[in-house]
Amino acid sequence: MTVLSIIQECLDALLHPSARYDALTSARHRAFMAPRLLGSLVAFAAFPVYLALRGAPSALEVAAFAWLIAPILLSWFLSRTGRYEGAHVLSSLALSGLVLTLAMTTGGIESFAAVWLVVVPLEAALSASRRAVAFASALALSCAALLIALGHFGLLSAPEANPLLRNIFMAFGVASATLYAAGLAFAAESLARTGVALLNLEEDRYRLLARNMSDVISRHRRNGAVQFISPAAETMLGTQVTRLLGHGLFERVHVADRPAYLTALSDAARGGEARSVEFRLRRDAPRGGERSYQQVDFIWVEMRCRPLEPASQTAAGEAEVVAVMRDVTDRKLQEQALDVARTEAEQADAAKTRFLATMSHELRTPLNAIIGFSEMIVQEQALMLDAARRREYAQLINDSGQHLLSVVNGILDMSKMETGNFEIAPEPFAPRAALINCCSLLALKARENGIDLVTRIPEDLPVMTGDPRAFKQISLNLVSNAIKFTERGGTVTVSAAVEGARLLLRVTDTGVGIAADDLKRIGDPFFQAGKTYQRRHEGTGLGLSIVKSLVALHAGELTVQSKIHEGTTVTVALPLTFTAPEPSSNIATLTPAARSANPDQAHQVKKSA
């Protein structure tokens, strides 16, 4: 351990607690105490030697030595109170008192000691306090005026008569004052160098923080012009910082978000309170790299801005704002995903409500018929039923059971399709025969409803490969739906054609049609379009949903075109040759989340009004 390090530790131990945690303040305190303690210790050491050589000292000599020892008290005062400005004021008083005493005993204003009055304000300049410098200057001028006044009235001792001795004393006074002033200058330069070094260190620290922070720090004028922006903006926006200065950042704000952006900056500058705003910023694509599937042109940014402190404002006094921007795109995407999930949950809840309402009707009606007519058959003797009436009741019971079975089968099929357990068995079959058979089965129902069922099926339809049961179910559901929602006197047309490697099955009716809002949800389980005719027709709302799932399982495409009160056209496009995929992929994707996860699967429903 060196002598300098020991002295440094001793001085640090004497520092007031208020000065220990600020590097510049502690340097100033050490610069004040070090020379005074050193000078006092030298005076203590020299005083016995002086007594041995000089003998009994005079009063003036005792005062001089007392002044040399007094700085210990000043150092003690600064160490105990931490009042740096007050310590310099006391030092100016001590130095002025010594100079005044020496000058009064050695010739007044003409004394060699009078030149030291110039040093008093120079010493106070180290305090970096205007008040301390003003006090020291006034004190030195007062001492000089006092010496002139006392000399004018002859109250001072005469100056040294010997010119040579007087010149020697004057030279000593000037030289000593110059050396002391030089020491003060070196101390001032050392403090200035320390201040610059600490300032550079602080700037490096803030620069390091600004470069390594993921958030972007910027300084704006009230009109939004950027005066400073941290390098993190290059990573966030993919462009150089220089291109964001001025109105460069504003030009990247989304047009719809610019009013909110400017309003937040203006309110922060005018209102004096922090503001927060979210807006979109255009981000440049990385150079030389391919854009990923999820990359977007704009990112969401949250900006928190607050007014700049008055001490940091520009000389013109214009209000300025400091802002911190953070990329919140991921949070926005999560919020959007939550909104979608909330909407789907609400739709699922509505579907559950529709399911309960529909099932309560579709199940209760045939069950009541079965129970009622079976009880009447049981009580045939009391009711005196003949054979024809019993056959009629038995037929009604059978019809109700068949209807109940079809409802249950539809629900079970839908459940299998949603869970991916519905298996299809592709095989060659003739689509024309299957379509004619379906139309024949529904011809009686069409006649009973007063509807004209027209078939336009070419005789040269080729044989296709697929599941004939699924094809028949698709055809029956489409034609049955068309007949159900067509008013008496209307027409249902079933046509088929070959287009490339696909079979197009088109069912057109002149019925009530579907509103544009309902088209978006056609194919959802248990959904029945239109409030005005929702319960005018029987059904569970599973017809088109089952068709949609079966078409998807065949890698086909379902398109619905409709206008309210003008009719509906449903077109099904199925491949002529279909091969069943592996079991792992044999899943009918029905939910929006699943559809978005498999964008290449051709089973979406195209709708147009």
Side-chain angles (χ1 to χ4, degrees):
M1 182 177 293
T2 63
V3 176
L4 291 179
S5 61
I6 295 175
I7 295 175
Q8 179 79 17
E9 290 182 358
C10 293
L11 290 175
D12 289 341
L14 293 175
L15 291 177
H16 189 266
S18 62
R20 292 177 181 174
Y21 304 103
D22 185 84
L24 183 58
T25 303
S26 60
R28 287 176 175 173
H29 283 222
R30 283 194 296 266
F32 181 88
M33 289 189 295
R36 286 166 175 79
L37 291 176
L38 181 61
S40 298
L41 292 176
V42 171
F44 266 121
F47 189 67
V49 178
Y50 181 82
L51 290 178
L53 297 177
R54 173 71 176 175
S58 64
L60 181 61
E61 292 172 340
V62 172
F65 274 104
W67 178 84
L68 292 175
I69 299 172
I72 294 181
L73 300 177
L74 296 177
S75 300
W76 174 84
F77 172 81
L78 180 60
S79 175
R80 295 288 293 177
T81 64
R83 298 173 60 182
Y84 185 65
E85 181 180 343
H88 268 283
V89 170
L90 293 177
S91 180
S92 299
L93 286 172
L95 180 58
S96 299
L98 176 64
V99 172
L100 182 62
T101 303
L102 289 175
M104 289 175 64
T105 58
T106 57
I109 196 64
E110 298 178 1
S111 170
F112 71 93
V115 71
W116 273 76
L117 292 176
V118 180
V119 181
V120 175
L122 294 179
E123 184 187 61
L126 294 179
S127 66
S129 170
R130 292 184 178 180
R131 293 187 300 179
V133 174
F135 174 80
S137 301
L139 183 61
L141 292 175
S142 300
C143 291
L146 180 61
L147 290 175
I148 294 174
L150 292 175
H152 177 72
F153 291 105
L155 300 177
L156 299 176
S157 59
E160 181 64 39
N162 188 350
L164 178 61
L165 189 59
R166 186 169 64 248
N167 291 335
I168 292 175
F169 281 141
M170 184 61 68
F172 171 77
V174 173
S176 60
T178 302
L179 291 176
Y180 190 76
L184 294 177
F186 280 113
E189 188 274 337
S190 176
L191 288 177
R193 188 169 60 250
T194 302
V196 171
L198 293 174
L199 180 61
N200 292 334
L201 180 60
E202 287 297 317
E203 289 182 351
D204 291 340
R205 289 176 180 174
Y206 285 117
R207 191 177 294 111
L208 180 64
L209 289 175
R211 288 178 177 176
N212 291 276
M213 283 181 62
S214 59
D215 295 349
V216 176
I217 304 174
S218 55
R219 182 173 178 175
H220 303 256
R221 291 183 178 176
R222 185 171 179 176
N223 61 357
V226 177
Q227 294 181 292
F228 165 81
I229 190 166
S230 62
E234 295 184 357
T235 304
M236 178 183 291
L237 301 178
T239 187
Q240 297 179 355
V241 169
T242 55
R243 300 179 62 183
L244 301 175
L245 298 177
H247 293 284
L249 181 64
F250 173 77
E251 293 174 355
R252 289 179 172 269
V253 179
H254 195 280
V255 176
D257 299 334
R258 289 180 180 179
Y261 169 78
L262 293 177
T263 300
L265 292 175
S266 178
D267 290 347
R270 182 179 62 252
E273 297 180 358
R275 293 289 187 273
S276 179
V277 63
E278 292 181 355
F279 54 90
R280 287 161 288 183
L281 275 177
R282 189 178 76 250
R283 177 174 57 187
D284 292 345
R287 295 182 180 179
E290 297 182 357
R291 296 170 64 110
S292 62
Y293 176 75
Q294 296 181 346
Q295 186 173 0
V296 294
D297 291 333
F298 286 87
I299 61 172
W300 277 99
V301 172
E302 179 189 33
M303 182 177 74
R304 297 181 182 273
C305 48
R306 61 178 181 84
L308 203 61
E309 296 179 357
S312 304
Q313 299 285 4
T314 59
E318 181 183 357
E320 296 182 359
V321 175
V322 62
V324 178
M325 291 182 289
R326 176 175 299 176
D327 187 351
V328 293
T329 304
D330 293 339
R331 192 192 74 191
K332 279 290 183 180
L333 293 177
Q334 292 176 359
E335 291 177 357
Q336 294 174 1
L338 288 176
D339 291 339
V340 172
R342 186 182 300 108
T343 301
E344 293 178 354
E346 292 173 354
Q347 292 179 354
D349 184 68
K352 180 194 70 174
T353 303
R354 288 194 305 273
F355 170 77
L356 294 177
T358 303
M359 288 302 98
S360 65
H361 176 81
E362 296 296 331
L363 297 179
R364 187 180 301 171
T365 300
L367 285 175
N368 287 336
I370 293 173
I371 294 173
F373 288 115
S374 61
E375 288 180 350
M376 295 178 69
I377 293 176
V378 171
Q379 300 176 7
E380 60 176 343
Q381 293 181 354
L383 298 176
M384 301 178 64
L385 299 178
D386 54 12
R389 187 59 60 86
R390 287 197 301 272
R391 284 195 301 273
E392 179 185 356
Y393 290 170
Q395 184 62 43
L396 291 174
I397 292 174
N398 182 266
D399 292 341
S400 299
Q402 293 294 336
H403 176 72
L404 187 60
L405 179 62
S406 66
V407 171
V408 174
N409 285 336
I411 297 174
L412 294 177
D413 289 343
M414 195 69 242
S415 300
K416 290 181 180 179
M417 293 175 189
E418 286 186 338
T419 58
N421 296 324
F422 190 89
E423 298 180 358
I424 58 176
E427 62 181 61
F429 70 95
R432 185 176 187 277
L435 288 174
I436 292 178
N437 185 24
C438 292
C439 292
S440 299
L441 291 175
L442 296 172
L444 178 60
K445 181 179 180 181
R447 286 197 299 270
E448 290 177 351
N449 293 346
I451 296 171
D452 187 13
L453 180 60
V454 180
T455 57
R456 296 175 182 172
I457 305 173
E459 295 184 358
D460 58 346
L461 280 183
V463 175
M464 64 181 298
T465 301
D467 192 328
R469 298 173 304 157
F471 183 82
K472 183 177 180 182
Q473 190 169 4
I474 291 172
S475 305
L476 286 173
N477 282 336
L478 291 180
V479 178
S480 176
N481 251 16
I483 294 173
K484 182 191 302 183
F485 292 101
T486 301
E487 301 293 340
R488 182 173 294 275
T491 303
V492 174
T493 303
V494 181
S495 60
V498 176
E499 183 182 86
R502 301 191 304 174
L503 174 70
L504 297 184
L505 171 61
R506 184 175 287 107
V507 179
T508 305
D509 63 65
T510 59
V512 294
I514 303 172
D517 294 338
D518 291 337
L519 274 175
K520 302 176 183 179
R521 301 186 58 191
I522 287 297
D524 291 348
F526 308 108
F527 176 74
Q528 292 181 329
K531 295 182 178 179
T532 58
Y533 52 92
Q534 186 171 2
R535 292 312 309 161
R536 290 171 54 189
H537 308 279
E538 300 295 334
T540 60
L542 292 175
L544 273 181
S545 181
I546 293 176
V547 170
K548 175 183 173 183
S549 300
L550 292 175
V551 170
L553 288 174
H554 282 80
E557 186 178 346
L558 176 68
T559 304
V560 180
Q561 296 177 333
S562 181
K563 287 186 178 180
I564 201 73
H565 302 309
E566 293 185 11
T568 303
T569 298
V570 181
T571 304
V572 174
L574 298 174
L576 291 175
T577 302
F578 173 72
T579 303
E582 296 296 329
S584 59
S585 60
N586 186 18
I587 299 176
T589 308
L590 300 176
T591 62
R595 284 200 298 270
S596 62
N598 299 277
D600 297 331
Q601 190 174 356
H603 58 71
Q604 61 180 2
V605 180
K606 296 182 179 178
K607 314 176 187 74
S608 61

